[in-house]
Amino acid sequence: MREIRRIQDEARRTAAVKRPRWPMVILRTPKGWTAPAEIDHHMVEGSWRAHQVPMTDVAHNPAHLQILDGWLRGYKPEQLFDEAGKLRAELKELPPKGERRMSANPAANGGLLRRALLLPDFRDYSVPVEKPACSEVENTPPLGRFLRDILRENANNFRVFGPDETASNKLSAVYEASKKVWLAEYFPEDADGGELSRDGRVMEILSEHTLEGWLEGYLLTGRHGFFSTYEAFVHVIDSMFNQHAKWLEIGKKLSWRAPIASLNLLITSTVWRQDHNGFTHQDPGFLDVVANKSPEITRIYLPPDANCLLSVADHCLRSMDYVNVIVADKQMHLQYLDMDAAITHCTKGLGIWEWASTDKGVAPDAVVAACGDIPTQEALAALLRAEFPDIKLRFVNVVDLSKLMPDTEHPHGLPDRDFNSLFTTDRPIIFNFHAYPWLIHRLAYRRRNHDNLHVRGYKEKGSINTPLDLAIQNQVDRFSIAIDVIDRAPRLRDAGAHAKESFKDQQIECRRYAYANGVDKPEIVNWKWPF
């Protein structure tokens, strides 16, 4: 203890940042220490059996009951409790008092120490959008600049976490405010872009579970954090997320447990842009894991563009006692909404995009819905208007996945009257989704028009594909969506035969081009909203 005090005093006196050699006491005990050495001639103490139930029949086996009685008496309860079964007074005086108790220590009830983040105005990081779906930017760099300035304003209570992927996820602007913390040996090559510092506030290690543990500990002791990771490998922390969500759910029920900052998780490098990494990096299933947890705790957002991502991130960083999962890819993507429109859209969580719809004032032939950046692009590019100028289509974009649930099942859920108004009660709904399609059915199964809901999403079809080829294999591409509308909208089933054949021909031609050239056709890559 004196050595620990000496290390602490030196650090506080000199402000020098280094990795100390902490003293450590290692207590090695047998597995199941204090259990009977043997039961029925089988070793218990010090063996694997000590982690099982060594006797399952004490209610009916007198010999085992006698062993259990001797085992429990071996703890000498008469020295601990009085004749009435109460803990002896002299022992009750041993535990520390007040905040010295582990459960009452403010560091163990971090909400008591939590200070609100000083957040810059996220609107200052917006990207200009003069016309929807006509310009492209990378979605995550503006968020990186926002996080950079949060680091600057909150030097003692905010950290960024990532499994050696902060730069890969295009959040490297954070290094302008703080580097990766590194207290071990430095090499000359580290000066060439290593971004290392002994007092850095960016936590990087190629170990998602270590990072998740660091982040949870940081939040539980009253601070704030932001974790970004590749979509396919966020599954590494499935069980850790589960336990943190359960802890939050119970903590909300305890009046003395102060709220802590939410666990904010950005999932990027997503399934639809893994054309170089391939099948191993294609797995959007973490959303299914998150959806299993309490609706009082979990939030899932899929912003379609950079301005929506900024709006969602600001909202999440201000929240408490949630797990916020944000899905946004890092590559170049079409931009749909200026900042004011993005704020409105994200506040509602979903809505009709008037500029992409042709059904105002009348019932639509079909509803085309999209959730996620690439599904939104492909659904918009299903240009049925060119084939059927009089078609009545309603385009709905979903940011907050919980909106699909009834308000009786999730605090963010839509009342049935509002859901029916958006999606109709009797028209076909073609829903293009970022992740596995059955999650949408699961969330919306109680809705009146569920029988007309047809969902497209990732179906474990992939390899090292071009983006469009991957989309075609999983039927989330523009041609598949157009064909779906023709198949489902009653008045197009016969009239749409020629258009349907044309869309199939285009799919074949696009795949042939991709296999021959290794990239998608220029008119696919450079597609913009034409109306």
Side-chain angles (χ1 to χ4, degrees):
M1 293 302 295
R2 283 194 295 269
E3 176 64 7
I4 291 172
R5 291 296 186 195
R6 186 195 66 76
I7 293 171
Q8 292 174 329
D9 291 343
E10 180 183 349
R12 291 163 182 156
R13 186 179 67 258
T14 65
V17 180
K18 60 183 180 180
R19 185 166 64 178
R21 188 179 294 275
W22 295 101
M24 178 183 293
V25 175
I26 299 175
L27 174 64
R28 181 178 180 181
T29 67
K31 191 177 186 70
W33 194 25
T34 74
E38 288 187 357
I39 297 177
D40 297 338
H41 307 295
H42 295 295
M43 182 178 177
V44 176
E45 185 184 48
S47 82
W48 61 270
R49 290 185 181 85
H51 197 65
Q52 314 301 310
V53 179
M55 296 180 292
T56 61
D57 58 348
V58 293
H60 307 289
N61 186 323
H64 283 181
L65 179 60
Q66 185 176 1
I67 292 173
L68 177 61
D69 182 74
W71 181 0
L72 296 179
R73 290 186 185 279
Y75 296 119
K76 301 180 179 178
E78 66 279 0
Q79 297 179 7
L80 306 176
F81 304 98
D82 62 21
E83 292 76 7
K86 294 183 178 180
L87 187 66
R88 293 189 179 277
E90 61 272 22
L91 298 179
K92 290 177 66 175
E93 293 300 316
L94 292 177
K97 303 293 190 296
E99 291 186 353
R100 292 293 184 179
R101 294 171 296 159
M102 185 181 296
S103 61
N105 188 321
N109 190 358
L112 298 174
L113 304 176
R114 181 187 54 81
R115 304 190 313 275
L117 282 176
L118 298 175
L119 293 174
D121 189 342
F122 67 95
R123 298 168 184 83
D124 294 341
Y125 307 86
S126 65
V127 300
V129 180
E130 296 182 4
K131 183 180 177 183
C134 288
S135 59
E136 290 185 322
V137 301
E138 294 170 325
N139 281 342
T140 53
L143 174 63
R145 294 188 285 274
F146 182 46
L147 294 172
R148 172 199 64 197
D149 292 345
I150 296 174
L151 278 167
R152 285 173 173 164
E153 294 294 325
N154 302 270
N156 297 312
N157 66 332
F158 180 72
R159 289 183 184 261
V160 172
F161 299 76
D164 204 23
E165 292 160 358
T166 301
S168 174
N169 290 335
K170 304 191 177 180
L171 301 173
S172 53
V174 300
Y175 298 137
E176 299 169 23
S178 187
K179 307 299 185 182
K180 309 172 195 174
V181 62
W182 184 252
L183 300 179
E185 185 178 1
Y186 283 70
F187 297 99
E189 57 267 29
D190 292 330
D192 183 19
E195 305 287 6
L196 303 179
S197 171
R198 294 190 182 278
D199 60 353
R201 305 194 65 76
V202 180
M203 313 297 290
E204 289 210 22
I205 180 176
L206 194 52
S207 172
E208 287 85 351
H209 66 275
T210 300
L211 289 160
E212 175 71 8
W214 284 347
L215 175 56
E216 290 182 15
Y218 202 60
L219 301 177
L220 289 167
T221 49
R223 280 76 67 87
H224 304 255
F226 192 90
F227 186 177
S228 73
T229 187
Y230 277 26
E231 182 174 57
F233 303 115
V234 70
H235 279 298
V236 173
I237 65 166
D238 278 4
S239 63
M240 298 180 74
F241 151 76
N242 278 334
Q243 295 307 312
H244 188 70
K246 288 175 180 289
W247 187 94
L248 286 173
E249 183 178 4
I250 298 301
K252 277 177 170 280
K253 300 175 182 178
L254 303 175
S255 59
W256 53 269
R257 175 66 67 182
I260 63 170
S262 296
L263 194 157
N264 299 306
L265 179 59
L266 172 67
I267 295 176
T268 186
S269 193
T270 57
V271 55
W272 303 112
R273 283 295 181 265
Q274 289 299 333
D275 40 296
H276 59 294
N277 283 318
F279 195 43
T280 58
H281 284 56
Q282 296 166 5
D283 188 336
F286 187 68
L287 301 190
D288 297 80
V289 177
V290 176
N292 288 336
K293 297 297 108 181
S294 168
E296 300 298 327
I297 301 301
T298 56
R299 305 287 184 266
I300 302 173
Y301 302 99
L302 294 98
D305 64 6
N307 287 334
C308 289
L309 175 57
L310 286 166
S311 179
V312 166
D314 178 80
H315 169 76
C316 293
L317 287 165
R318 295 177 186 275
S319 68
M320 296 178 291
D321 279 348
Y322 296 137
V323 176
N324 297 309
V325 177
I326 308 170
V327 182
D329 190 53
K330 63 186 182 183
Q331 306 291 0
M332 294 288 288
H333 289 280
L334 289 171
Q335 303 301 302
Y336 306 108
L337 305 177
D338 63 30
M339 183 52 80
D340 288 341
I343 293 170
T344 299
H345 185 49
C346 293
T347 301
K348 292 191 299 182
L350 80 174
I352 297 172
W353 283 2
E354 295 283 354
W355 55 270
S357 302
T358 59
D359 70 320
K360 190 169 184 178
V362 298
D365 292 309
V367 176
V368 176
C371 184
D373 38 36
I374 290 300
T376 295
Q377 171 189 294
E378 291 301 307
L380 287 169
L383 290 178
L384 288 155
R385 287 164 69 176
E387 298 285 343
F388 309 100
D390 63 338
I391 193 170
K392 303 302 179 185
L393 289 179
R394 178 177 300 172
F395 191 89
V396 176
N397 183 264
V398 179
V399 177
D400 182 348
L401 200 59
S402 305
K403 290 291 182 180
L404 300 179
M405 300 173 68
D407 56 350
T408 56
E409 299 299 317
H410 196 288
H412 287 195
L414 274 187
D416 283 337
R417 62 182 181 277
D418 293 336
F419 188 92
N420 293 341
S421 176
L422 286 173
F423 291 98
T424 78
T425 58
D426 59 356
R427 302 304 167 112
I429 306 164
I430 312 302
F431 198 115
N432 215 24
F433 183 44
H434 171 85
Y436 293 105
W438 35 87
L439 179 57
I440 299 301
H441 285 292
R442 173 181 154 195
L443 298 178
Y445 80 97
R446 290 188 176 184
R447 300 300 191 176
R448 179 175 171 182
N449 199 24
H450 180 257
D451 287 348
N452 280 323
L453 175 62
H454 309 281
V455 185
R456 298 303 178 196
Y458 186 66
K459 299 192 295 184
E460 287 293 309
K461 305 291 185 183
S463 182
I464 300 177
N465 312 90
T466 66
L468 183 65
D469 183 40
L470 180 62
I472 290 172
Q473 287 197 37
N474 290 278
Q475 296 181 293
V476 302
D477 65 288
R478 58 199 68 186
F479 308 116
S480 294
I481 300 303
I483 291 169
D484 258 353
V485 173
I486 292 171
D487 286 342
R488 311 295 180 183
R491 77 180 184 92
L492 298 182
R493 287 173 187 162
D494 295 329
H498 294 278
K500 186 174 172 180
E501 287 299 299
S502 174
F503 292 137
K504 290 181 177 180
D505 292 344
Q506 291 181 66
Q507 281 183 322
I508 294 169
E509 174 56 28
C510 285
R511 298 190 74 183
R512 183 185 296 131
Y513 183 95
Y515 294 158
N517 297 278
V519 295
D520 288 322
K521 297 176 74 173
E523 57 265 39
I524 298 297
V525 175
N526 300 318
W527 181 86
K528 303 292 188 295
W529 182 247
F531 298 106

